[in-house]
Amino acid sequence: MKEFLKYFFGKGEEIEFTNFSLAHFLPIILMIAVIICFKVFSSKIANCKNEAAFRYFIAFALIFSEMSYYWRLIALPSLGPNPVDHLPITVCGWAVVFCSYMIVGKNQTLFDISYFWLLSGTVFALLTPTVISYTGITRFRYYQFWLEHTLGYIAIFYMIFIHKMRPTIKSAVKSYIALAILAVIAYFSNQMIGPGANYLFMARPEDTPSILDILPPNFTLRIVIMAAAITFMFFISYLPWLIKDIKAKKKEDIEEKEVVTV
């Protein structure tokens, strides 16, 4: 039993997880299926007497998925846990915390930040989950990673479909400012820690294959390209709502013209 637990909570010496495999796509497909269910059964869920308890369960699962990452490191010294390497300076980590408080308190500000952070930042973790390269489907880390990175989307779309929350232009501004503050903290942390520190992937490309490999190693160019890409992703994330507002405005204008004509 001890050997099994050591294996399950540990990691391999060779790559066990590959991008664009069934093990990669299955958690994403399950996440999308859950979100579709929220949309289809939104009215039933909203009127369910246990709706609040369901939100608390999602919040608990979010916090558990985040904290279990650190519990695993503490429990297995063989993983070489180093507090400096695991400081809370990640978009994914803070998005989990924000989403848990957001879904419990139905907080609009936390929704605003989480919405853009998830759809503009952590989406890259879903596309190329490099941090689990050495932990396949037989390892705890695989499940912890996917729970942590999919539950945030589930929480966000739960609030969209069940509680009718939505982002605005002001939401994007608040989220961008919050991300800029985190980026400044990450920059100075990388500088103070020195070689090896790469919070927010600002210092250098990762050792394992990632979508961020296309970024140049030059710091200035890296930051400029990352800022441009994030700005573009913010725009793409808001685009569906912008289109919806434009259509609603056109419909409103047509109805006003018809009233005037009559």
Side-chain angles (χ1 to χ4, degrees), residues 48 51 69 116 118 129 137 153 163 167 172 196 208 210 213 238 249:
C48 177
E51 188 275 328
Y69 170 77
F116 286 100
L118 285 168
I137 60 173
Y153 289 89
H163 292 283
T208 49
S210 165
D213 290 344
Y238 185 68
K249 185 65 171 61

Side-chain angles (χ1 to χ4, degrees), residues 176-193:
Y176 206 95
I177 292 173
L179 183 59
I181 293 172
L182 186 62
V184 170
I185 295 173
Y187 169 76
F188 283 107
S189 298
N190 290 337
Q191 293 295 310
M192 288 187 290
I193 296 171

Side-chain angles (χ1 to χ4, degrees), residues 117 171-183 234:
W117 279 22
S171 303
V173 174
K174 285 191 288 186
S175 183
Y176 206 95
I177 292 173
L179 183 59
I181 293 172
L182 186 62
F234 266 56

Side-chain angles (χ1 to χ4, degrees), residues 69-233:
Y69 170 77
Y70 298 100
W71 295 336
R72 168 177 169 266
L73 292 175
I74 294 171
L76 286 179
S78 60
L79 295 175
N82 183 349
V84 173
D85 295 333
H86 303 283
L87 296 175
I89 315 175
T90 65
V91 170
C92 297
W94 278 108
V96 167
V97 175
F98 290 158
C99 282
S100 62
Y101 281 97
M102 174 270 297
I103 200 169
V104 169
K106 294 186 280 189
N107 187 288
Q108 182 65 47
T109 297
L110 294 179
F111 172 86
D112 295 341
I113 296 173
S114 301
Y115 176 85
F116 286 100
W117 279 22
L118 285 168
L119 272 69
S120 304
T122 64
V123 66
F124 295 113
L126 299 185
L127 294 175
T128 53
T130 60
V131 295
I132 59 171
S133 295
Y134 294 92
T135 50
I137 60 173
T138 59
R139 310 276 190 174
F140 170 81
R141 172 63 170 145
Y142 170 86
Y143 299 97
Q144 181 275 325
F145 172 88
W146 287 111
L147 277 176
E148 177 184 358
H149 288 78
T150 58
L151 282 173
Y153 289 89
I154 287 172
I156 284 293
F157 283 97
Y158 183 89
M159 300 309 292
I160 290 173
F161 293 130
I162 311 304
H163 292 283
K164 310 306 176 185
M165 283 189 172
R166 58 152 295 174
T168 63
I169 293 294
K170 289 183 178 180
S171 303
V173 174
K174 285 191 288 186
S175 183
Y176 206 95
I177 292 173
L179 183 59
I181 293 172
L182 186 62
V184 170
I185 295 173
Y187 169 76
F188 283 107
S189 298
N190 290 337
Q191 293 295 310
M192 288 187 290
I193 296 171
N198 193 26
Y199 288 106
L200 298 193
F201 308 103
M202 294 175 67
R204 66 183 190 283
E206 285 291 283
D207 297 330
T208 49
S210 165
I211 194 171
L212 296 176
D213 290 344
I214 62 175
L215 296 175
N218 179 273
F219 176 77
T220 303
L221 285 176
R222 191 175 182 83
I223 297 304
V224 169
I225 294 174
M226 288 179 72
I230 290 171
T231 302
F232 176 73
M233 291 299 296

